[in-house]
Amino acid sequence: MTSLDIDPSEILVRYNVKMEKAMTPEDAAAELYPKDELYRPIAEAIFEGEEDDVIEGLEKAIDAGKNPIALIDDALMVGMKVVTDLYDQGVIFLPNVMMSADAMLDGIDFCKEQSDEAPVSKGKVVCHVAEGDVHDIGKTIVAALLRANGYEVVDLGRDVPVDEVIEAVKAEKPIMLTGTALMTTTMYAFKAVNDRLLEAGLKVPFACGGGAVNQDFVTTYELGVYGEEAADAPKMADKIVAGAGISALKEEFHKH
Amino acid sequence: MAINRYTKMAYGSADEMIFGKSKFPVKAGLGLEIGGGYTTPEVNYAPRPEAGASKEKLVKEYQRITTDIMNRMVQVGFPAVVLETEHVEQMTNNPTWGGEVAHAQKTIMEEFHDEYGIKCALRHTPGDIREDRDFLELRGDKFNTLMESFEEVASNGADLLSIETMGGKEVFDYSILRNDVPGMLYAIGCLGTMDMDFIWQEIASVAKKNNVVAAGDTDCSEANTAMFIAGGLLDKNLAHTLAIIARAISAPRSLAAYEAGAVGPGKDCGYENTIVKSIAGVPIAQEGKSSTCAHSDVMGNLVMQCCDLWSNESVEYHAEFGGTSVQCWSESLAYDCALMNTATATGKAKDLRDLFTLSDKYRDPQGYVLAYDNAYRVGEAIVKDGNDIYLRAKNAALKSIEIMEEGVAGKLELTRFEKGALADAKAALGALTDDQDTFMSDCMSKYKEEVKVFLPENYGL
């Protein structure tokens, strides 16, 4: 390069450096872990994303007399909430959430194997990628964040025919349906899903986002609620559980 | 066609690299020489969704788009333009649709060329349709349909053939969400390159048969996925230091097209193209501040530094205050090119190049590594082990880390989080073997178990 150079502070601001919180993720997590000596190692293992340590902690808790199904809410979900809270606060990043969610799901499977009871989730959400669209990393993130926040996810996968979406909503009776699409050409399937749901009298909130999907488009159909970020999905579900209808969701999440 | 790996650099030094000129210019279309001493706008567009309802509607839509762009170019006095048609899936899955669109577009471009003498070329980019609902299906019936699509567009007017292939994406999508740098290396550097070797020999054959240009590929499906997940400065989805490591690894992967017979210009969204140009000397398309209609990035000026074509990535065809969207964006691109070409004509090109670079070099680690002086160094690391697709990708990753560490000692500011991710990545790469067979074998076992949709037969494994 030529000798030309510049003091970058004259032309740009690294806001992320300027705004970074002083506390390390580990210190922030340590303040949030449960105090119970049986639950705390499980929560720590969730935060670290260490599946084997999660199982080991669960085994110890069960040996000590804890109910395996109760451990899902009392230890696994508590540990996961540490992770999702720190993600929402901007202290940790998405891959940490994904790895913790993997560990949590292994833990839930283990707890289920140890009991005849079925756990109760916060609510059921059906997720899909629009018909004709095979780009599914956005849906993968949405599903993981929903599970991380205690929701049961029915993942229909990618390139899901409209008929299949409608049948799943009829069968599963979810509190919310999500649809993601990368391409403008495939996102029109969302309108068809909306129309078919209305025909069937199924007024379920339909959270849509991804790639070329925008608020203007989602506003054109009655059940649509636009999610700008994957992290909006569990927040919408929380609002629905708290009693919000589609209008209230649009009011809150349609930011533009 | 044979695979000829690059083991040396096309340029003697980074300073020789400049916009508008490439070591090996490419003649294409109606009077264009890409990389022959001037930059040219490359306009990219998407039809309105309702136009996809039938072949007739699609053809009509592309006729409107093409006429609008060509009209605006001559109205404002621009000497040259490239049009890129990225297929909607119907056009690739029904090869004759793509062929008819190419023919309709080229007919209009020929009319403008004949009447006004404007230099122009048409790039067609079929979609990588090689997958079904659950799995990638890189070899088989869908591959055959894809090749028919290339044949149809090449024989009906397309001058430049490109694609954005997806080899390795199933493992990459899993790895990038788990900070798994060895997984990214396996996905992009190994699986991606193997698929590039496979498909680009075929595309080059189609191009040769039809006397058109096998242009190039981009790692859009992987490195751009990383860049978009990383997002802006305040997004919390991926460390930007990891996004640029994925980008560095993507350079030898995109280079593979030229090793299999492609000659450029590389595709616009390949932000790895400065590295590729330093090695292969091929002309490249780039996008940055001009593609904000499609997405944001953090190096909008910097990527102009060595471009030969200057693109807007994609814009949906619709009305704006200043005309249709394609008219507005083509005019904006063409004015940028006029400035670059003025700098060339007045002997100021290197000054302008360095201004482009400096305006973004310290904005983000991605721009820092892709600044042409540093990009050149990544290129050197790649050719050092150019015959080993694993080692050269690993070298690119390690060199990008070294460059960022140097930057931190200077004017590049990183957050503690970004530095932590960088240190973790360095440790993970440092723990890897230097033996390709061992790495491939270890990764095959790991990802077959962890990634349910990974089918080794897609890569001939």
Side-chain angles (χ1 to χ4, degrees), chain A residues 213-216 219 226-229 232 250-256:
Chain A
V213 181
N214 58 50
Q215 184 180 309
D216 284 353
T219 306
Y226 175 61
E228 189 159 78
E229 300 172 13
D232 285 343
K250 289 186 183 190
E251 185 65 30
E252 175 152 359
F253 290 96
H254 288 195
K255 300 165 186 167
H256 305 294

Side-chain angles (χ1 to χ4, degrees), chain A residues 209-249:
Chain A
V213 181
N214 58 50
Q215 184 180 309
D216 284 353
F217 172 71
V218 177
T219 306
T220 62
Y221 45 94
E222 183 179 338
L223 302 175
V225 183
Y226 175 61
E228 189 159 78
E229 300 172 13
D232 285 343
K235 290 174 188 157
M236 287 182 195
D238 288 347
K239 292 286 177 188
I240 293 167
V241 170
I246 292 171
S247 300
L249 292 172

Side-chain angles (χ1 to χ4, degrees), chain B residues 403-421:
Chain B
I403 288 168
M404 283 186 272
E405 287 177 335
E406 289 170 6
V408 171
K411 297 178 181 177
L412 177 66
E413 286 189 293
L414 295 182
T415 61
R416 282 196 321 277
F417 174 78
E418 288 172 325
K419 288 178 189 169

